[in-house]
Amino acid sequence: MRYVVGLMMVAFFLGGVGLFAVGVRELTRRFGARRRLRSAEGEIVRIEKRQEIMDSDSGRTADFDYPEIRFRTGSGGDKTFIFEIGAGARTARYAIGQKLTVLYDPDGELPPMIDSWAAIWMPNLIRTIAGPIFIFGALFIY
């Protein structure tokens, strides 16, 4: 039992350090790229539906919509991407043909994203906050 607890402590600590490091690195990259990002009008061309397990004990699942968005860059090329944050509301948040403002990096260092605060900052902010929580969890196990 001692080895299992020790392994959990190490796993939580390393996971927390990794989450924090990736979150800070990506927040720094996005903060530095703000001036370089260009705006374009995108259109949803397809909606990918994914069913994800919400509770493994009961087998309860939820459906999430991930829009595939096509937009034209300033240089005239068409790009398509699937937005990484799915919408899981009971009513459809996205519709095929819907117009959205998209931000893209002409240098290609950052992936395209929908122009919203949550899309730009939220995933990496969550990683940055979750990292120390895992680290404190490891210290608590210790």
Side-chain angles (χ1 to χ4, degrees):
M1 184 68 169
R2 176 188 300 174
Y3 298 111
V4 172
V5 172
L7 183 64
M8 283 176 48
M9 181 181 66
V10 170
F12 268 55
F13 183 78
L14 292 176
V17 169
L19 281 170
F20 183 75
V22 168
V24 168
R25 186 188 79 213
E26 290 301 314
L27 282 173
T28 305
R29 283 181 63 207
R30 288 179 188 235
F31 189 76
R34 283 180 317 156
R35 289 183 221 102
R36 181 173 76 234
L37 295 177
R38 301 291 176 248
S39 181
E41 183 174 296
E43 179 180 354
I44 297 177
V45 293
R46 183 175 71 91
I47 297 176
E48 182 176 313
K49 295 197 178 287
R50 297 182 197 164
Q51 192 174 56
E52 298 180 12
I53 297 173
M54 301 305 290
D55 184 8
S56 59
D57 293 336
S58 67
R60 188 172 54 107
T61 61
D63 293 326
F64 288 89
D65 295 340
Y66 292 86
E68 183 175 333
I69 303 168
R70 180 182 301 136
F71 67 96
R72 184 174 299 270
T73 63
S75 60
D78 283 343
K79 286 196 175 187
T80 303
F81 71 99
I82 295 179
F83 188 51
E84 65 184 14
I85 301 174
R90 293 190 188 274
T91 59
R93 181 170 157 187
Y94 300 116
I96 294 176
Q98 179 180 352
K99 305 284 187 194
L100 299 167
T101 304
V102 173
L103 291 176
Y104 71 95
D105 184 0
D107 297 342
E109 291 180 27
L110 292 177
M113 62 197 92
I114 293 175
D115 186 11
S116 72
W117 186 89
I120 297 169
W121 304 108
M122 189 63 70
N124 298 306
L125 192 60
I126 289 173
R127 287 181 189 106
T128 305
I129 293 169
I133 292 172
F134 274 73
I135 292 170
F136 288 128
L139 295 174
F140 182 72
I141 291 171
Y142 179 72

